[in-house]
Amino acid sequence: MDIEGARVLVPGAGGVIGSALASRLHGLGARVALAGRTPAPLARAAATCGGAPVHRIDAYDLEGCARTVPWAADALGGLDAVVVCVGVAGFGPAHTVPDSVAEHLLTVNALAPMAFLRAALPVVPRGGALAAVTGVVVDAAPAGMADYAASKAALAAWLTAVRRERRRDGVAVLDIRLPHVESGFAARAVAGSPPALPRGLTVAEAVDEIVDALHRPAPAARRPG
């Protein structure tokens, strides 16, 4: 995808990675629309993006997440990409995780990103991108992260199926599996304490990976037969 001039919705733009990504995209010439839960971080992110339009969201309001897509398309005069940076961490052995926490992790990490991207499927044109940040926990679920890893794996499986469904459309469907990032994300877990983690990527390095993924072309459409 050509980022310069692209119209991009960033759900989760009030978070550390989401705000840094929005700022980077703005600096590369994209026009961004920002969605997030908390007003103050969103306002700061908007200020760094030239007064970008802002929309409040609640990940538990899946219909509200979906409505963010037409809002962004209207605010930007169209939509070329959606990059979902919404997420929350949770830790602890599976038998200690309350069902309410498991539901929270699945809703925020899987169902809400799906709602944004599902609504964007008929909107984003050929050459655009639909992307979400999952994580390396999808490939190797660590002990003490069963429910968190399961929520990310659910989103990854959905993205894989959608990629196969849309492979002829010329739209990139991206599962961006970042390793641990030194963003403070793990320390803000809704349950439990993070295990000892190796030193992770800086936020700038994580944004580099997301931008690199957006730059890659969508797979060529297969000819019938």
Side-chain angles (χ1 to χ4, degrees):
M1 187 184 83
D2 186 0
I3 291 177
E4 185 174 3
R7 299 157 298 183
V8 185
L9 168 62
V10 183
V16 175
I17 293 175
S19 61
L21 174 64
S23 179
R24 177 76 65 83
L25 293 173
H26 172 73
L28 292 171
R31 296 172 56 208
V32 295
L34 313 181
R37 182 172 60 90
T38 309
L42 273 178
R44 289 193 293 270
T48 67
C49 295
V54 168
H55 188 72
R56 291 277 307 282
I57 57 169
D58 181 340
Y60 259 76
D61 179 7
L62 300 181
E63 291 183 359
C65 292
R67 288 194 298 269
T68 305
V69 171
W71 163 81
D74 182 65
L76 298 176
L79 200 59
D80 300 300
V82 179
V83 186
V84 183
C85 298
V86 172
V88 66
F91 304 104
H95 72 281
T96 69
V97 176
D99 289 334
S100 58
V101 171
E103 179 187 33
H104 184 74
L105 292 169
L106 188 63
T107 300
V108 176
N109 292 339
L111 297 181
M114 291 176 196
F116 289 115
L117 296 175
R118 194 192 320 276
L121 284 169
V123 177
V124 171
R126 178 176 291 274
L130 302 172
V133 174
T134 57
V136 294
V137 293
V138 170
D139 300 306
M145 299 188 195
D147 291 273
Y148 173 66
S151 66
K152 290 293 191 178
L155 176 57
W158 187 87
L159 290 166
T160 297
V162 172
R163 185 180 308 113
R164 290 169 177 160
E165 292 171 0
R166 311 294 290 210
R167 65 188 177 210
R168 292 182 174 86
D169 295 350
V171 175
V173 179
L174 306 174
D175 173 359
I176 302 173
R177 297 187 184 182
L178 293 179
H180 172 56
V181 181
E182 300 290 343
S183 65
F185 177 72
R188 297 188 292 273
V190 294
S193 299
L197 296 167
R199 183 166 182 80
L201 299 180
T202 67
V203 172
E205 288 169 337
V207 170
D208 287 342
E209 291 207 9
I210 298 171
V211 170
D212 286 348
L214 292 172
H215 269 306
R216 295 182 203 123
R222 295 184 181 179
R223 294 173 181 253

